[in-house]
Amino acid sequence: MTALSNQPFPCLPFPAPAPDLDPASAGLLERGPALALLAAEAARAVDGSGRLVLFRAPTGTGRSALLEAAAGLGAGLGMRVLRAHASAESSGVPLALVRQLLGPAHGLGALHDDAPEGSDHLALSSRLWQSLCERAAESPLLVTVDDAHLADQASLRWLAEGARRLAGMPVLMVVTERGQYDIAPAAPGLAYSLPPGVVRMHAVAPLSRPAAEDMVRGALGQDICRSWVDGCVRAGAGNPLLLRALLDDLRAVFPHGGRAGVADGGGPEPGLPENVAELYPGAFVAAVSWWLRSAGPGSTTVARALAELEVSARDEREYGSHGGPGTPGTRPGPVGPGVHAPGHEPGDDFTDFLSELTHTDPDRVGGWITAMVRLGLLRRSPGTGVPRFAHPLLRGAVLDGRPRSHRQALHLRAAELRQRRGHGVEAVAGHLLRTAPGGTERVAQALLDAAADATRAGRASAAARYLRRALDEPMPPGRRAAVLTELGQLEFATLRTGGIPRLAEALRLQQEPRDRVLAAVHLGNALANRGKPHAALDVMRELGPLDGEPVLARTIQTASAFFSDHDPEIRRTVYTRLRERAERSPEWISPALRALLIRYESTAGLLSAETAMRQIRWLLTAPEDPLLVPYLLGTAAAVAQWADAPEDAERIIRTGLAEHWVSPLHPIHGSLLNTRLDTAAAGGRHRWVLEETAQRSRTPGDPSPTGASNFLAHRVLALVECGRSAEAERLVAGVDVGRTQDGWEQNRFLYARGVLRASAGDPAGALADFRECGRRQAVRDVESPVVTPWRSAAAECLLILGETPEALALAEEESRYADVWGTPRVRGRALRVLGSATGGRRGLELTAEAVGLLRGASLDVELIPALITHGLQLTAAGQSRRARPLLREAATAAERMGAVLLSDRAEQALRASGARRRNAPFTGSGSLTASERRIAALAADGRTNAEISELLHLARRTVETHLTSTYRKLGIRRRGDLPAALNSGAEEST
């Protein structure tokens, strides 16, 4: 070896990095220790004592930037810089890296790249070393080698052997090597066989959050919003390569940095993209792709599988399903969503699942996840520990360009794996949703099982997704028709199409007459509810003559009668034919059809309630075919509700919904729900009505923007009674009844809107609604006030407007129809309004009769306005002392019911009568007496009636009486509601 001079070379200081670094110099952020190590070792090398400095770092953390810094340092110190960059392409060529480093030299000889290693390579290696020594004799050397992990083995041996000889040479070797935990174990690194004294190894860490934030602000501006900074930091994961590429893309997409008001027009601040498709230049996607290639095929496969599972889990959360693909720890049975099985931590279970899915070593997968969390590319979900990518942009870049067929194949393997592991049916189906159609019947069955589970849990959207996907699989026609019907039922309640296309296809697939009739009923009901009653009847007629099937023929006739309720002309035609058939062939009329005729005659003012209920009760005991029983129950419930028989109505409704279960596609299902709502409203249960109509105030899937339904009408009425008229106004604002069919639900809505307008001080507008309601009812042959008492409401508006003669005429007509029906409710209401319109002594007599009639029937919802009307008349007649007890009774009952509107009217009437203002409420905790409060407190603490009786030395019956009064005043029904009611009252008092 040529002797080298020990004379020191001049030492120049290494310039410190500028504080305001742009993205191009991001690799030097927080690299002070590495730069200090380079400066110290360069000084040693210049002094003649060289060494190997090895920088190990994950991909993208700035290894190459450190080499550039080292080269600049060496040049500043007068060192000759030799560079080499290993690559996978040349890794099979012996000494390719060293020859790149030293360059072609005279006398080195020529060697074929594909020649096997042997004595010739050993000779070449020696000559290359000699060349290095000769250059070092001329001036100190700085040898930089990038990505040594990709170098050929001969070059690595040459570097390792050379590192042992640098102690007395003015040569500094700076080598970078990828140091990252991958799925495939890495080969031993360069320093593996070297003693510590000949190598200084430095691990390069990712950027800290403050450094990453500084980098973002340096690129996008110091005034960038916090959400953008946080998103960029998470997407960049502390990796300078990824963060620099992301910032390059963002500066191209958002030249103003995404700041609000900077772009033309001064619009709001745009959100940071979460989809890589928005990053048009594509630098970030390219950087992530490079990162994946560097990690190797094993890590790439696991990363893409993890990203795909995360996407599917996100979709499951959006659709409301549980047990989605991202939660493989979910188990069937008592273990619910988000709860792991006994003995399994969710994160560990996921690691096992991911490793088995990708056919990789579970220990390596677990280590890789831990390493990626440490680097900031992954995060663990709170609670479950399941890993996920730090930002959607990272996840999207990992999946970018992934063929759809590969993703589908992954989900098919995942579904099979989860099925073997015993995960829930929805967990399996969540993957099957993302597979290619055309599988096996097993796939269809798994999806149908998942749909059944989702339906039972009330997740209609998820169930519909499973069913739609199941229809892509092969199945027999009969089964396909059943699936189409089930899907049509779900879409009937959720989509604007109302499931009509599905139901039409199901009808075409049916072969048996009975199945065809049932399918036609379902389709007809969907059409009728979407404002197409003519099309519904066409469907029924297209079934053809069924003379040989009398039950099926009656079913068609009965269903057609229900469909006709959506159009007055069709209704009149259908019932005319039905009445003619009843006269001509009474034996053909079944109990269900007979009940329909009773309903028609009741609304037409041709029957009394007593007669109607007597016939209905007899029909309920008569034999009827199971196909027709639901129609009989739906009709009977409606008549019972009109006849002030709420117990009968509720019992019939329970029977229809529970014992004779009918699907939402059956016309009786909606009829029973509407009757249940009518019954509750008639009983003054306004709170229950509001709860029941909270999500159903508009017709499901209504194709028009009106949504004028019975549910909406009752919600408006309940809101008005509860003093929430502003909310009711918002509900009716977009309803245009003129664009809808003249169906009974639209008429009910007109009445409700009229009540709202009257309460808001618009009697003229209310009168117009009531008159239009009456006109439409008359076209439908509905004259009796049992359905909608529009005449009484219109008469009250006319009285306010000073049109007393017309008001009196309407009130008298209403009274005549009320006398025909004969129930206390309709008679009491009609008498009250007639008394107001009549006035004088006769008017007092009529309103007094109304009060007596309604009080005897315990109908507070009608009794309260009768008490107020009679009290006002007494006050006007100079009999205030007689009026005040009636008005106080009305105020108490209204407060107990929560009827704010009636309560206010009663208060005003009391003040008009000269009564002093009440000091205490009639209801609520403030109305409790001392004894009631003491007993209620003990009951709320869990004491039984017997224990309270013994503690307070009271009779047990006294305790029960006090508790009954307390329940009434607090508006509760159960002992368990006492603590909350008492505490609420205490808070309000405070």
Side-chain angles (χ1 to χ4, degrees):
M1 179 181 295
T2 306
L4 300 176
S5 171
N6 290 327
Q7 181 180 357
F9 289 83
C11 181
L12 301 177
F14 179 75
D20 295 329
L21 294 171
D22 62 21
S25 59
L28 297 182
L29 281 173
E30 294 189 320
R31 299 300 180 244
L35 296 175
L37 173 63
L38 282 174
E41 293 300 324
R44 290 182 77 253
V46 169
D47 287 341
S49 181
R51 190 148 48 187
L52 171 66
V53 174
L54 178 63
F55 290 115
R56 300 190 80 247
T59 299
T61 48
R63 298 191 309 264
S64 299
L66 284 173
L67 279 188
E68 290 300 318
L73 170 63
L77 294 174
M79 303 176 77
R80 183 179 179 182
V81 180
L82 304 179
R83 302 170 185 258
H85 191 152
S87 65
E89 290 77 10
S90 62
S91 60
V93 181
L95 294 174
L97 178 70
V98 183
R99 284 187 279 181
Q100 178 193 155
L101 182 71
L102 296 170
H106 179 72
L108 291 182
L111 205 68
H112 295 295
D113 289 346
D114 57 352
E117 291 192 48
S119 58
D120 290 340
H121 283 93
L122 292 176
L124 177 59
S125 175
S126 178
R127 288 197 298 273
L128 288 168
W129 177 255
Q130 183 65 31
S131 175
L132 178 72
C133 293
E134 291 171 356
R135 299 183 189 195
E138 298 172 3
S139 69
L141 294 180
L142 176 65
V143 178
T144 66
V145 177
D146 203 3
D147 290 342
H149 56 283
L150 298 177
D152 60 278
Q153 291 300 313
S155 294
L156 289 175
R157 286 194 297 270
W158 189 91
L159 290 173
E161 183 61 27
R164 292 186 176 92
R165 304 179 185 181
L166 295 180
M169 298 176 63
V171 179
L172 175 62
M173 284 188 180
V174 183
V175 180
T176 68
E177 186 178 66
R178 187 173 183 275
Q180 182 173 307
Y181 194 102
D182 295 318
I183 298 299
L190 181 60
Y192 178 73
S193 60
L194 293 176
V198 303
V199 60
R200 293 292 302 277
M201 189 168 65
H202 181 84
V204 182
L207 296 178
S208 67
R209 184 177 183 89
E213 291 180 352
D214 289 344
M215 185 175 171
V216 173
R217 291 192 174 94
L220 302 180
Q222 295 297 320
D223 57 343
I224 196 70
C225 71
R226 183 68 189 175
S227 64
W228 269 62
V229 174
D230 179 69
C232 290
V233 169
R234 287 192 293 115
N239 187 299
L241 170 70
L242 302 184
L243 186 53
R244 182 169 58 247
L246 175 62
L247 295 174
D248 288 345
D249 280 347
L250 289 176
R251 285 188 297 185
V253 177
F254 300 99
H256 300 285
R259 293 183 294 279
V262 177
D264 293 340
E269 168 202 325
L272 182 70
E274 294 194 353
N275 189 330
V276 292
E278 298 182 57
L279 302 180
Y280 176 71
F284 182 71
V285 172
V288 173
S289 299
W290 170 254
W291 181 87
L292 288 173
R293 285 196 298 273
S294 301
S299 297
T300 300
T301 298
V302 173
R304 285 174 171 167
L306 176 61
E308 185 63 35
L309 293 176
E310 186 179 334
V311 168
S312 56
R314 177 205 61 192
D315 293 344
E316 290 299 318
R317 288 191 297 271
E318 290 178 359
Y319 278 95
S321 305
H322 85 262
T327 53
T330 306
R331 294 286 193 269
V335 182
V339 181
H340 56 273
H344 292 78
E345 291 298 325
D348 294 340
D349 190 39
F350 182 85
T351 300
D352 292 341
F353 177 82
L354 185 59
S355 64
E356 192 171 352
L357 178 64
T358 55
H359 306 294
T360 49
D361 182 357
D363 293 334
R364 297 298 300 181
V365 172
W368 180 83
I369 290 174
T370 301
M372 295 305 102
V373 170
R374 173 68 181 84
L375 290 177
L377 281 92
L378 298 181
R379 294 184 175 188
R380 292 192 182 274
S381 300
T384 64
V386 173
R388 54 185 173 86
F389 283 90
H391 193 273
L393 284 174
L394 263 177
R395 180 185 64 227
V398 168
L399 287 174
D400 188 72
R402 182 76 168 159
R404 181 178 179 82
S405 59
H406 293 186
R407 300 174 71 171
Q408 291 173 333
L410 174 76
H411 281 293
L412 184 58
R413 293 198 306 272
E416 294 169 349
L417 175 58
R418 299 193 74 163
Q419 197 166 39
R420 289 200 307 270
R421 285 174 156 236
H423 293 176
V425 291
E426 284 198 71
V428 174
H431 291 290
L432 293 176
L433 289 173
R434 295 164 178 82
T435 59
T440 64
E441 289 191 11
R442 279 196 312 118
V443 172
Q445 187 59 53
L447 290 162
L448 294 178
D449 291 342
D453 273 15
T455 301
R456 283 192 291 268
R459 294 188 300 276
S461 296
R465 293 179 68 207
Y466 299 139
L467 292 176
R468 292 188 194 106
R469 176 61 183 81
L471 288 170
D472 293 334
E473 301 297 333
M475 60 181 69
R479 191 180 193 190
R480 181 173 295 276
V483 174
L484 285 165
T485 301
E486 187 177 354
L487 179 56
Q489 173 182 320
L490 294 171
E491 292 180 348
F492 173 73
T494 57
L495 296 185
R496 295 174 67 88
T497 61
I500 291 171
R502 312 288 185 183
L503 299 172
E505 185 179 354
L507 175 57
R508 286 194 296 270
L509 290 174
Q510 298 291 3
Q511 300 296 324
E512 297 297 323
R514 183 184 180 91
D515 294 335
R516 285 183 55 78
V517 167
L518 291 175
V521 168
H522 293 155
L523 176 57
N525 187 53
L527 289 166
N529 276 276
R530 294 310 175 275
K532 300 176 180 178
H534 289 277
L537 292 182
D538 287 342
V539 168
M540 307 307 287
R541 282 193 290 266
E542 287 171 3
L543 292 173
L546 293 169
D547 297 334
E549 299 282 352
V551 173
L552 297 183
R554 294 189 187 102
T555 301
I556 293 173
Q557 184 75 31
T558 309
S560 298
F562 274 90
F563 300 157
S564 71
D565 284 337
H566 296 272
D567 184 275
E569 294 180 3
I570 299 176
R571 184 178 190 271
R572 178 171 288 175
T573 301
V574 167
Y575 277 97
T576 298
R577 292 175 180 173
L578 184 58
R579 296 175 75 186
E580 292 173 352
R581 185 71 179 265
E583 293 176 0
R584 186 174 63 255
S585 306
E587 72 284 353
W588 191 86
I589 301 298
S590 68
L593 287 169
R594 181 67 63 185
L596 278 174
L597 290 172
I598 293 172
R599 187 186 72 164
Y600 173 84
E601 292 172 354
S602 297
T603 58
L606 303 176
L607 278 183
S608 68
E610 181 181 359
T611 302
M613 281 305 297
R614 183 172 63 251
Q615 294 182 14
I616 285 292
R617 289 189 177 103
W618 179 83
L619 291 174
L620 288 172
T621 63
E624 181 59 286
D625 188 272
L627 270 181
L628 293 166
V629 168
Y631 297 96
L632 174 59
L633 294 175
T635 307
V639 174
Q641 189 272 316
W642 297 334
D644 288 346
E647 295 83 5
D648 289 342
E650 291 177 355
R651 175 178 53 79
I652 295 170
I653 292 169
R654 284 195 301 270
T655 302
L657 292 176
E659 297 179 22
H660 296 272
W661 186 87
V662 289
S663 77
L665 286 173
H666 199 289
I668 294 305
H669 186 270
S671 175
L672 291 172
L673 293 182
N674 277 307
T675 303
R676 184 172 63 180
L677 190 62
D678 295 343
T679 305
R685 293 156 53 194
H686 304 310
R687 293 178 184 174
W688 186 93
V689 170
L690 290 177
E691 291 175 2
E692 186 71 8
T693 59
Q695 302 299 326
R696 302 186 56 181
S697 57
R698 289 185 180 271
T699 302
D702 187 10
S704 72
T706 64
S709 67
N710 188 48
F711 271 70
L712 177 59
H714 275 301
R715 183 166 185 82
V716 170
L717 290 171
L719 288 171
V720 170
E721 292 298 337
C722 293
R724 295 159 59 182
S725 295
E727 186 176 343
E729 289 279 5
R730 289 193 295 271
L731 277 177
V732 305
V735 178
D736 182 5
V737 185
R739 297 175 55 187
T740 65
Q741 297 281 344
D742 290 343
W744 72 272
E745 291 192 271
Q746 286 74 24
N747 299 349
R748 184 70 60 86
F749 171 78
L750 278 169
Y751 176 80
R753 192 173 67 180
V755 171
L756 172 62
R757 288 176 170 176
S759 70
D762 181 17
L767 179 61
D769 277 341
F770 294 140
R771 280 176 167 162
E772 178 62 15
C773 175
R775 184 193 68 78
R776 295 185 177 211
Q777 293 286 61
V779 174
R780 295 167 49 84
D781 293 337
V782 177
E783 301 291 351
S784 176
V786 297
V787 178
T788 307
W790 68 271
R791 294 185 188 85
S792 293
E796 290 183 295
C797 291
L798 288 167
L799 288 173
I800 296 173
L801 295 171
E803 302 290 340
T804 303
E806 188 177 353
L808 182 59
L810 282 176
E812 288 174 342
E813 186 178 8
E814 183 93 322
S815 182
R816 287 195 297 272
Y817 280 112
D819 289 340
V820 173
W821 186 244
T823 60
R825 179 187 306 277
V826 296
R827 288 190 62 218
R829 180 173 55 225
L831 287 170
R832 170 179 62 82
V833 177
L834 181 59
S836 295
T838 302
R841 179 176 297 179
R842 178 57 182 161
L844 272 174
E845 293 173 354
L846 291 172
T847 54
E849 184 181 355
V851 168
L853 190 64
L854 293 167
R855 183 181 282 139
S858 299
L859 294 169
D860 284 355
V861 71
E862 294 293 346
L863 173 62
I864 296 169
L867 288 167
I868 295 172
T869 300
H870 189 52
L872 287 171
Q873 285 183 320
L874 287 171
T875 300
Q879 303 180 46
S880 299
R881 295 185 62 183
R882 289 182 57 195
R884 289 168 194 156
L886 299 175
L887 296 174
R888 288 195 178 96
E889 181 184 354
T892 302
E895 192 173 2
R896 182 172 60 247
M897 279 177 39
V900 176
L901 182 66
L902 289 174
S903 179
D904 290 344
R905 287 180 56 195
E907 287 288 342
Q908 293 171 8
L910 271 171
R911 287 194 292 272
S913 71
R916 287 183 294 179
R917 187 173 182 84
R918 291 185 291 143
N919 295 323
F922 293 121
T923 61
S925 62
S927 67
L928 298 180
T929 65
S931 297
E932 288 171 344
R933 182 173 293 279
R934 184 165 58 251
I935 292 172
L938 291 171
D941 287 339
R943 304 278 188 175
T944 65
N945 288 0
E947 291 171 338
I948 297 172
S949 174
E950 185 175 352
L951 282 171
L952 300 181
H953 304 288
L954 295 172
R956 185 168 178 175
R957 186 173 184 82
T958 302
V959 172
E960 293 171 351
T961 301
H962 278 75
L963 282 176
T964 299
S965 175
T966 300
Y967 291 170
R968 177 182 57 79
K969 290 181 178 181
L970 296 180
I972 61 177
R973 296 184 178 184
R974 297 184 297 273
R975 200 183 195 92
D977 295 334
L978 274 172
L982 293 174
N983 291 336
S984 175
E987 292 172 2
E988 291 173 3
S989 298
T990 302

